[in-house]
Amino acid sequence: RAKERGKNTFQFYTAELNVRAIERLKLEYALRRALAQDEFELWYQPKVSLATGAPVGAEALLRWRHPELGMVSPAQFIPIAEESALIGAIGEWVLATACRDTRRWVAEGLFAGRMAVNLSGRQLKLGGLVDTVRAALADSGLESDYLELEVTESVAMDDADGGQVGMLDELRALGVQLSIDDFGTGYSSLAYLKRLPVQVLKIDRSFIADLSHDKDDAAITTAIVSIAKSLGLAVVAEGVEEVAQRDFLAALGCDAAQGYLFGKPMPAAHFEAYLAAQRR
Ligand code: C2E
Ligand code: MG
Ligand code: MG
Ligand code: MG
């Protein structure tokens, strides 16, 4: 009987593993199809100067318009894309599309400043990223100083001793700007930060959310702005939703901000209309 039960347990276990493997395979397959059938979209969120309120750039944010599920959040599918190395192809599509759209808006006299594109850790490790960025710039005709690449703190700090910093240096040498996303949520060595070829710190949204009510968040935000200034880096706040948050950040001398207060991420056509309206 024990043998029997053992066998059943084993069968149950393999059945469950299979279900999970199949779910993953399905998702991978769906992501491949999404690329082939143009189900991905880039949405754009404006970034504004805290001193003047004028747009100083934007961030490109990936969206998946799934035929049955509707809009799927990148938080849900980027991790699976990273596990399956599909992130390479998706990342290429994102870079090419962001550069092409930005080039068009620059040519139309609508866009100034920088377009920020998110890079994932796996994308940096896959190899070929520098060539991908160079090709996206060349194919679109976008000048490199219109492009900004965001990496998270953990990714930037990841290999003090190796290739990743070398790659950031190579990207920087192309003339693109580099920023650290979600700053304050990882472990940063400040000494190390100084040696990274980055120009911008983006304060994570989690510190901004309760800025007006939470003393600790206010203290952390103040410290990050101060660190950025001492290191000669620009500083951008993410997730600004309220006037009180904007005023606090402006008083600190934070350079720029992104958030629902200024504009939500929007499809390319809406963003173009937003840019046109801002110019008038
Ligand atoms: P992120 O790069 O930190 O992007 C900021 C996120 O905050 C975006 O979520 C944006 O929609 C959201 N956000 C902006 N302002 C506000 C606000 O005022 N309030 C609130 N509640 N949220 C705000 P989203 O678009 O869902 O993207 C989530 C994450 O997915 C991004 O975080 C980024 O890490 C990743 N991601 C997005 N697009 C790409 C991409 O093309 N490639 C890669 N590798 N990752 C991407
Ligand atoms: Mg980002
Ligand atoms: Mg962020
Ligand atoms: Mg993030």
Side-chain angles (χ1 to χ4, degrees), residues 47 55-58 102 105-106 109-115 145-146 271 275 279:
K47 184 162 57 182
V56 290
T102 307
W105 295 325
V106 169
L110 293 173
F111 187 89
R114 289 191 170 87
M115 179 60 72
D145 54 1
Y146 284 105
F271 183 65
L275 289 174
R279 266 181 58 89

mmCIF file of all heavy atoms in Angstrom, residues 47 55-58 102 105-106 109-115 145-146 271 275 279:
data_model
loop_
_atom_site.group_PDB
_atom_site.id
_atom_site.type_symbol
_atom_site.label_atom_id
_atom_site.label_comp_id
_atom_site.label_asym_id
_atom_site.label_seq_id
_atom_site.Cartn_x
_atom_site.Cartn_y
_atom_site.Cartn_z
ATOM 1 N N LYS A 47 7.574 63.429 -18.936
ATOM 2 C CA LYS A 47 8.412 63.811 -17.799
ATOM 3 C C LYS A 47 8.514 65.329 -17.885
ATOM 4 O O LYS A 47 8.728 65.869 -18.966
ATOM 5 C CB LYS A 47 9.777 63.157 -17.978
ATOM 6 C CG LYS A 47 10.744 63.364 -16.872
ATOM 7 C CD LYS A 47 11.872 62.335 -16.939
ATOM 8 C CE LYS A 47 12.616 62.342 -18.271
ATOM 9 N NZ LYS A 47 13.670 61.318 -18.340
ATOM 10 N N PRO A 55 7.489 70.003 -20.550
ATOM 11 C CA PRO A 55 7.936 68.631 -20.812
ATOM 12 C C PRO A 55 9.444 68.600 -21.105
ATOM 13 O O PRO A 55 9.946 69.461 -21.832
ATOM 14 C CB PRO A 55 7.158 68.216 -22.064
ATOM 15 C CG PRO A 55 6.121 69.246 -22.290
ATOM 16 C CD PRO A 55 6.532 70.483 -21.560
ATOM 17 N N VAL A 56 10.149 67.655 -20.491
ATOM 18 C CA VAL A 56 11.584 67.535 -20.748
ATOM 19 C C VAL A 56 11.931 66.137 -21.256
ATOM 20 O O VAL A 56 13.089 65.763 -21.313
ATOM 21 C CB VAL A 56 12.429 67.841 -19.485
ATOM 22 C CG1 VAL A 56 12.361 69.317 -19.147
ATOM 23 C CG2 VAL A 56 11.977 66.996 -18.295
ATOM 24 N N GLY A 57 10.898 65.393 -21.634
ATOM 25 C CA GLY A 57 11.154 64.068 -22.162
ATOM 26 C C GLY A 57 10.009 63.138 -21.827
ATOM 27 O O GLY A 57 8.914 63.597 -21.464
ATOM 28 N N ALA A 58 10.258 61.847 -21.944
ATOM 29 C CA ALA A 58 9.222 60.850 -21.707
ATOM 30 C C ALA A 58 9.860 59.506 -21.407
ATOM 31 O O ALA A 58 11.056 59.324 -21.620
ATOM 32 C CB ALA A 58 8.319 60.737 -22.928
ATOM 33 N N THR A 102 10.281 58.491 -31.617
ATOM 34 C CA THR A 102 10.918 59.721 -31.135
ATOM 35 C C THR A 102 11.488 60.526 -32.295
ATOM 36 O O THR A 102 11.344 61.752 -32.359
ATOM 37 C CB THR A 102 12.030 59.389 -30.122
ATOM 38 O OG1 THR A 102 11.488 58.552 -29.099
ATOM 39 C CG2 THR A 102 12.592 60.648 -29.484
ATOM 40 N N TRP A 105 8.761 62.467 -33.919
ATOM 41 C CA TRP A 105 8.316 63.626 -33.141
ATOM 42 C C TRP A 105 9.368 64.735 -33.133
ATOM 43 O O TRP A 105 9.021 65.910 -33.144
ATOM 44 C CB TRP A 105 7.949 63.196 -31.709
ATOM 45 C CG TRP A 105 6.763 62.269 -31.682
ATOM 46 C CD1 TRP A 105 5.675 62.326 -32.523
ATOM 47 C CD2 TRP A 105 6.538 61.150 -30.816
ATOM 48 N NE1 TRP A 105 4.791 61.314 -32.223
ATOM 49 C CE2 TRP A 105 5.286 60.578 -31.186
ATOM 50 C CE3 TRP A 105 7.259 60.570 -29.767
ATOM 51 C CZ2 TRP A 105 4.752 59.463 -30.523
ATOM 52 C CZ3 TRP A 105 6.722 59.471 -29.109
ATOM 53 C CH2 TRP A 105 5.489 58.929 -29.492
ATOM 54 N N VAL A 106 10.631 64.349 -33.143
ATOM 55 C CA VAL A 106 11.693 65.357 -33.227
ATOM 56 C C VAL A 106 11.602 66.068 -34.576
ATOM 57 O O VAL A 106 11.637 67.293 -34.659
ATOM 58 C CB VAL A 106 13.097 64.717 -33.037
ATOM 59 C CG1 VAL A 106 14.197 65.711 -33.395
ATOM 60 C CG2 VAL A 106 13.271 64.223 -31.601
ATOM 61 N N GLY A 109 9.093 68.647 -34.895
ATOM 62 C CA GLY A 109 9.273 69.783 -33.993
ATOM 63 C C GLY A 109 8.459 69.665 -32.716
ATOM 64 O O GLY A 109 8.223 70.651 -32.012
ATOM 65 N N LEU A 110 8.022 68.448 -32.392
ATOM 66 C CA LEU A 110 7.164 68.257 -31.216
ATOM 67 C C LEU A 110 7.950 67.877 -29.968
ATOM 68 O O LEU A 110 7.530 68.167 -28.851
ATOM 69 C CB LEU A 110 6.134 67.153 -31.496
ATOM 70 C CG LEU A 110 5.077 67.441 -32.556
ATOM 71 C CD1 LEU A 110 4.251 66.185 -32.842
ATOM 72 C CD2 LEU A 110 4.162 68.570 -32.078
ATOM 73 N N PHE A 111 9.053 67.170 -30.156
ATOM 74 C CA PHE A 111 9.727 66.557 -29.019
ATOM 75 C C PHE A 111 11.122 67.131 -28.804
ATOM 76 O O PHE A 111 11.916 67.231 -29.730
ATOM 77 C CB PHE A 111 9.837 65.039 -29.240
ATOM 78 C CG PHE A 111 10.365 64.271 -28.054
ATOM 79 C CD1 PHE A 111 9.497 63.790 -27.075
ATOM 80 C CD2 PHE A 111 11.718 64.015 -27.919
ATOM 81 C CE1 PHE A 111 9.971 63.080 -25.979
ATOM 82 C CE2 PHE A 111 12.208 63.295 -26.823
ATOM 83 C CZ PHE A 111 11.329 62.831 -25.857
ATOM 84 N N ALA A 112 11.379 67.508 -27.575
ATOM 85 C CA ALA A 112 12.747 67.867 -27.172
ATOM 86 C C ALA A 112 13.040 67.092 -25.900
ATOM 87 O O ALA A 112 12.139 66.566 -25.268
ATOM 88 C CB ALA A 112 12.830 69.360 -26.921
ATOM 89 N N GLY A 113 14.284 67.017 -25.524
ATOM 90 C CA GLY A 113 14.629 66.290 -24.303
ATOM 91 C C GLY A 113 14.993 64.855 -24.617
ATOM 92 O O GLY A 113 15.564 64.577 -25.671
ATOM 93 N N ARG A 114 14.622 63.946 -23.709
ATOM 94 C CA ARG A 114 15.062 62.564 -23.892
ATOM 95 C C ARG A 114 13.946 61.554 -23.769
ATOM 96 O O ARG A 114 13.031 61.728 -22.973
ATOM 97 C CB ARG A 114 16.142 62.235 -22.857
ATOM 98 C CG ARG A 114 17.437 62.938 -23.156
ATOM 99 C CD ARG A 114 18.570 62.418 -22.311
ATOM 100 N NE ARG A 114 19.825 62.958 -22.812
ATOM 101 C CZ ARG A 114 20.322 64.137 -22.422
ATOM 102 N NH1 ARG A 114 19.688 64.854 -21.529
ATOM 103 N NH2 ARG A 114 21.457 64.561 -22.932
ATOM 104 N N MET A 115 14.069 60.508 -24.569
ATOM 105 C CA MET A 115 13.154 59.375 -24.479
ATOM 106 C C MET A 115 13.848 58.266 -23.700
ATOM 107 O O MET A 115 14.904 57.796 -24.108
ATOM 108 C CB MET A 115 12.805 58.871 -25.886
ATOM 109 C CG MET A 115 11.873 57.677 -25.895
ATOM 110 S SD MET A 115 10.294 58.030 -25.089
ATOM 111 C CE MET A 115 9.526 59.103 -26.310
ATOM 112 N N ASP A 145 21.750 61.583 -28.411
ATOM 113 C CA ASP A 145 21.476 62.316 -27.175
ATOM 114 C C ASP A 145 19.986 62.518 -26.912
ATOM 115 O O ASP A 145 19.609 63.094 -25.895
ATOM 116 C CB ASP A 145 22.282 63.620 -27.062
ATOM 117 C CG ASP A 145 22.092 64.515 -28.254
ATOM 118 O OD1 ASP A 145 21.318 64.120 -29.150
ATOM 119 O OD2 ASP A 145 22.695 65.596 -28.293
ATOM 120 N N TYR A 146 19.138 61.994 -27.794
ATOM 121 C CA TYR A 146 17.705 61.968 -27.488
ATOM 122 C C TYR A 146 17.327 60.708 -26.701
ATOM 123 O O TYR A 146 16.197 60.585 -26.250
ATOM 124 C CB TYR A 146 16.868 61.999 -28.763
ATOM 125 C CG TYR A 146 16.794 63.360 -29.402
ATOM 126 C CD1 TYR A 146 17.516 63.653 -30.552
ATOM 127 C CD2 TYR A 146 15.984 64.353 -28.856
ATOM 128 C CE1 TYR A 146 17.449 64.903 -31.138
ATOM 129 C CE2 TYR A 146 15.903 65.601 -29.436
ATOM 130 C CZ TYR A 146 16.636 65.874 -30.570
ATOM 131 O OH TYR A 146 16.551 67.111 -31.155
ATOM 132 N N PHE A 271 -0.012 60.532 -27.142
ATOM 133 C CA PHE A 271 1.177 61.263 -26.692
ATOM 134 C C PHE A 271 1.544 62.350 -27.701
ATOM 135 O O PHE A 271 1.918 63.459 -27.331
ATOM 136 C CB PHE A 271 2.344 60.298 -26.466
ATOM 137 C CG PHE A 271 3.576 60.977 -25.927
ATOM 138 C CD1 PHE A 271 3.566 61.561 -24.660
ATOM 139 C CD2 PHE A 271 4.740 61.052 -26.686
ATOM 140 C CE1 PHE A 271 4.697 62.206 -24.158
ATOM 141 C CE2 PHE A 271 5.863 61.696 -26.190
ATOM 142 C CZ PHE A 271 5.850 62.274 -24.923
ATOM 143 N N LEU A 275 1.858 66.281 -26.956
ATOM 144 C CA LEU A 275 3.027 67.103 -27.297
ATOM 145 C C LEU A 275 2.606 68.339 -28.088
ATOM 146 O O LEU A 275 3.078 69.451 -27.831
ATOM 147 C CB LEU A 275 4.047 66.295 -28.116
ATOM 148 C CG LEU A 275 4.829 65.195 -27.381
ATOM 149 C CD1 LEU A 275 5.671 64.399 -28.372
ATOM 150 C CD2 LEU A 275 5.702 65.789 -26.280
ATOM 151 N N ARG A 279 2.834 72.417 -26.954
ATOM 152 C CA ARG A 279 3.569 73.420 -27.722
ATOM 153 C C ARG A 279 2.769 74.688 -27.927
ATOM 154 O O ARG A 279 3.327 75.753 -28.121
ATOM 155 C CB ARG A 279 3.973 72.851 -29.091
ATOM 156 C CG ARG A 279 5.365 72.262 -29.117
ATOM 157 C CD ARG A 279 5.691 71.753 -30.501
ATOM 158 N NE ARG A 279 5.581 72.816 -31.511
ATOM 159 C CZ ARG A 279 6.575 73.621 -31.850
ATOM 160 N NH1 ARG A 279 7.743 73.516 -31.285
ATOM 161 N NH2 ARG A 279 6.391 74.538 -32.775
#
